[in-house]
Amino acid sequence: MALRLGPTIDERRGIEYHELRTESLIGKLNARPMPFGWTVNPYRGCEMGCHYCFARYTHEFLGLADPDAFERTIYVKQVDRSRLVRELRKARKSGQTVALGTATDPYQPAEGRFEVTRRILEAAGEVPGLRLSITTKSSLVTRDAELLCAIAGVSEVTVNLSITTADAALARRLEPRAPRPDLRFGAMRTLADAGVSTRLFIMPILPGLTDHEANLRALMAAAREAGAGDAESNVLFLRSGTRETFMRFLAIEFPRLVPEYERLYRGSAYARPDYV
């Protein structure tokens, strides 16, 4: 990996953006069965700083052991247009879904400057017949509403808006630099009005914080009002690298919940089956 790490190409808000040369932008999924077969992550690291993000461990592959580096040192992947089109054609031939944003948000603030996701979508527009899924917390996705509508005319595309809580104050504590929930629902409405299929992702559901019925009902009602076709959810996954960061956050912000999380996640990255 060291040979692929390029120089600093921008600095702002206390965050460094580095170039990352990649052999292939699209990865074939060979792990446990998932509802997609290919993944695309335009960036490594994510500025949004969600305390529960499962992908924090990925920076360890770059030799960055500091948990905060995941949200302060962002790697911007290069895009070779012709190669990307070839890889997308290969994915189309497989008939499996290409998932954009499975680890880091493709519309995080860096996208406004570097437009890697935009170039990926432009390439996708050259490969009719794709099955494309995009997951984001950002209202920046509306920038590409016209392009996504065009892709939807020749391919199957769904934009998943990840919204964990309808409470803006709680969202700010959990997801410090992500857009407010109402802005995400607004983005959902804009996309739906443009003819782009949208879905609500309640991921993750956080025990004791976002799992109460009032919140879940509020999220689904708002999503239906905003034109979403359906909703999916999953309970918090606390793997190593995320567990330490999240438990540190809980101890500071919600100390009363620490014993319950220790009970629910004792000896496992998954919550107890009876809770799930």
Side-chain angles (χ1 to χ4, degrees):
M1 287 295 294
L3 297 176
R4 302 180 193 172
L5 303 182
T8 299
I9 52 179
D10 200 354
E11 291 185 61
R12 59 185 69 190
R13 300 182 299 277
I15 297 167
E16 289 188 355
Y17 300 93
H18 296 262
E19 179 187 82
L20 178 61
R21 294 179 289 276
T22 58
E23 292 183 356
S24 177
L25 198 59
I26 300 179
K28 180 72 176 73
L29 184 69
N30 296 311
R32 62 189 178 92
M34 296 290 280
F36 49 85
W38 305 80
T39 63
V40 188
N41 288 289
Y43 304 94
R44 282 188 84 119
C46 185
E47 184 182 338
M48 291 189 181
C50 303
H51 295 293
Y52 53 72
C53 180
F54 80 94
R56 287 179 176 272
Y57 76 99
T58 58
H59 259 39
E60 295 175 10
F61 301 147
L62 305 177
L64 299 174
D66 180 355
D68 294 333
F70 180 78
E71 57 195 75
R72 295 299 180 188
T73 305
I74 310 298
Y75 290 89
V76 181
K77 296 182 181 180
Q78 291 183 327
V79 177
D80 181 308
R81 178 67 167 265
S82 59
R83 178 165 189 160
L84 184 56
V85 169
R86 289 197 304 271
E87 291 175 336
L88 288 171
R89 286 174 178 159
K90 184 178 179 180
R92 178 185 61 185
K93 187 176 180 180
S94 75
Q96 296 175 306
T97 297
V98 178
L100 181 60
T102 55
T104 57
D105 200 304
Y107 284 101
Q108 61 178 284
E111 174 62 17
R113 163 69 173 81
F114 300 106
E115 298 189 342
V116 182
T117 299
R118 173 79 184 188
R119 294 196 292 276
I120 292 169
L121 293 179
E122 289 171 345
E126 297 182 26
V127 188
L130 273 177
R131 297 177 64 188
L132 185 64
S133 173
I134 303 167
T135 301
T136 182
K137 283 183 168 68
S138 179
S139 53
L140 180 59
V141 65
T142 58
R143 178 201 65 187
D144 295 334
E146 185 176 343
L147 176 56
L148 288 166
C149 182
I151 295 172
V154 295
S155 294
E156 179 183 320
V157 58
T158 301
V159 176
N160 311 305
L161 272 298
S162 174
I163 312 173
T164 58
T165 176
D167 183 335
L170 177 58
R172 180 61 60 227
R173 295 169 79 179
L174 295 170
E175 309 153 352
R177 289 175 291 281
R180 298 192 317 265
D182 62 300
L183 295 178
R184 291 178 238 176
F185 282 120
M188 187 180 284
R189 179 77 268 171
T190 297
L191 293 173
D193 288 346
V196 179
S197 176
T198 62
R199 179 187 293 124
L200 170 66
F201 268 14
I202 312 176
M203 298 185 183
I205 292 176
L206 300 161
L209 290 170
T210 67
D211 59 350
H212 53 282
E213 184 172 348
N215 179 60
L216 300 178
R217 282 185 176 275
L219 288 173
M220 288 188 277
R224 183 170 61 181
E225 179 67 23
D230 59 337
E232 295 186 18
S233 65
N234 206 355
V235 175
L236 175 67
F237 176 62
L238 275 184
R239 65 167 299 149
S240 176
T242 298
R243 178 188 290 265
E244 297 80 1
T245 298
F246 187 74
M247 293 301 288
R248 180 181 64 187
F249 161 75
L250 274 187
I252 296 171
E253 296 286 339
F254 302 97
R256 62 180 175 80
L257 290 176
V258 171
E260 178 65 2
Y261 273 81
E262 290 175 342
R263 183 185 73 84
L264 287 175
Y265 289 90
R266 182 173 291 118
S268 176
Y270 298 91
R272 289 171 49 139
D274 59 323
Y275 170 81
V276 176

